[in-house]
Structures are given as C-alpha cells and as structure tokens.
C-alpha cells in the first residue's frame, strides 16, 4: 500500500475507532469514489464523506420481511400463505 493511503487509513482508524483492516477497506472505497460500501461488520448508516455503509443483510423499513411478504401475497391472491 502506498504511504499516503496508509496514512489516510491510519487516520480513519483513529478518528472513527475502526480496526486497521476496516479502515483499509473504507479507504480503498473512498479512493475508488464509491458511494456505497456493503458490510455487515461496520455500522449501517455510518458515513465517511460521500461513502455510506449499508448492511446487505438488514431489511430497511420499506422492505417487507418474508412473513409480511407472504401475507401481502395472500391478500392479493385470496390464499393463505403456504397454500
């Protein structure tokens, strides 16, 4: 890794209390000008400038969970879930 990237990731680690490895991932995403970083380890919603952390395994408020989706489908079709 370049010395500039190493210094920047060290700064990120200290400022945001990240592990060295997480800071390197965040720094790489920032250098690549990403706007979304998918991670289940970092805090969902955390921002690093224009970069936002998203947990791909967490449902957002507007996404129905499996049980709710089945009930919604049952309501549309007139059938009970699983039938």
């Amino acid at each position: 890794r370049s010395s500039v990237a190493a210094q920047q990731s060290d700064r990120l680690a200290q400022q945001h209390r990240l592990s060295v490895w997480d800071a390197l991932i965040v720094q790489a995403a920032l250098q690549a000008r990403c706007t979304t970083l998918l991670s289940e380890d970092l805090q969902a919603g955390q921002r690093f400038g224009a970069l936002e952390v998203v947990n791909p395994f967490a449902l957002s408020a507007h996404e129905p969970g499996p049980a709710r989706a089945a009930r919604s489908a049952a309501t549309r079709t007139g059938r009970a879930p699983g039938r």
Side-chain angles (χ1 to χ4, degrees):
R1 64 186 179 167
S2 73
S3 62
V4 173
Q7 290 172 355
Q8 290 172 335
S9 65
D10 288 342
R11 184 175 43 82
L12 277 171
Q14 290 176 0
Q15 285 179 344
H16 299 280
R17 297 184 179 191
L18 300 174
S19 72
V20 172
W21 305 114
D22 287 342
L24 285 169
I25 291 168
V26 169
Q27 183 57 39
L30 288 169
Q31 283 183 314
R33 297 183 184 189
C34 297
T35 56
T36 303
L37 175 61
L38 300 177
S39 173
E40 64 179 321
D41 297 324
L42 294 171
Q43 183 179 351
Q46 187 172 10
R47 288 193 159 277
F48 302 91
L51 180 67
E52 180 180 9
V53 176
V54 174
N55 182 341
F57 302 109
L59 292 176
S60 65
H62 66 280
E63 294 179 87
R68 186 170 158 203
R71 283 192 304 273
S72 295
T75 302
R76 287 191 306 272
T77 62
R79 294 182 183 161
R83 293 192 180 169

